[in-house]
Amino acid sequence: ASVLKLAYAQRIGAPNQGAAAAHAPTGAPVQGFRTTIAGTLGGAHFDSALAVALDIPLPLEGIDAIISPSVFAGRLVRCNFAASQAQVVPMTAANAPAGTAAPYVEADTHGHMNSTPGVAVSIPGLAPVVAILDTGSSRGLTLPLSMANAVPLVAPMSPDEPQRMVGALYSAFKAQLNGDVRIGGLTLHNPGIRFVDAPEPVNVGFQILRAGIVVLDPAGRRSWFLPAS
């Protein structure tokens, strides 16, 4: 669902359709309410769609809402981060990328199980996984701390700034991987990696995604991550 800052939802008169709460897996609940929204982003219109209004810090200063790509179900959402462009295009064979899509991942987001865009990831020492393709994270490649002993590192990991999630703060560590990582259609050599002491799946954030193109099919629950060139 889309997320509105609570003050913004109240300012625009978004209808309160019942209580809602969000939290990280072990975090304290943050209260708010369910609502519906409709509107236009650029030239792409969307009809009535579920949203939640919550008093949580959104990742970009001055942003009042995060609109979920799911509001454009039935179309493809193409985000070329390298070119700072987003497009909503018809669902046609010509518009769909070549290659195999990754399925969406069932993940706990803000205390609820939701289908989240996925990306195929191959990491030395681990079986291939479908990770969360997280455009809302400013980080790069994040793994649960429980996987730290399984992957080859250039040097021992060191403490990093804690990972802030809704209603909770988790210890985090940084390191450099010794080897190649395959993320969708992109290969990274000896990338930086982050471990978080939280029950979270493997996560690929904007620090990596900004180098490529993300294409989402919300209705088909499939996604692609492609090199920008």
Side-chain angles (χ1 to χ4, degrees), residues 113-158:
M113 294 304 295
N114 290 306
S115 291
T116 303
V119 59
V121 174
S122 295
I123 302 171
L126 300 175
V129 298
V130 176
I132 291 179
L133 191 159
D134 191 354
T135 58
S137 166
S138 63
R139 308 290 183 182
L141 179 61
T142 301
L143 276 65
L145 184 60
S146 59
M147 292 181 175
N149 290 332
V151 299
L153 302 176
V154 171
M157 61 186 180
S158 59

Side-chain angles (χ1 to χ4, degrees), residues 35-120:
T35 189
T36 52
I37 56 173
T40 301
L41 295 182
H45 180 76
F46 64 93
D47 294 318
S48 182
L50 175 66
V52 289
L54 298 165
D55 190 17
I56 60 174
L58 295 179
L60 296 174
E61 185 178 352
I63 300 297
D64 288 318
I66 297 175
I67 305 301
S68 169
S70 64
V71 304
F72 299 113
R75 290 169 279 180
L76 291 173
V77 179
R78 179 183 175 90
C79 300
N80 185 341
F81 296 113
S84 300
Q85 292 179 339
Q87 296 174 300
V88 179
V89 299
M91 171 65 72
T92 64
N95 285 334
T100 304
Y104 275 29
V105 179
E106 289 294 322
D108 185 332
T109 55
H110 309 316
H112 300 278
M113 294 304 295
N114 290 306
S115 291
T116 303
V119 59

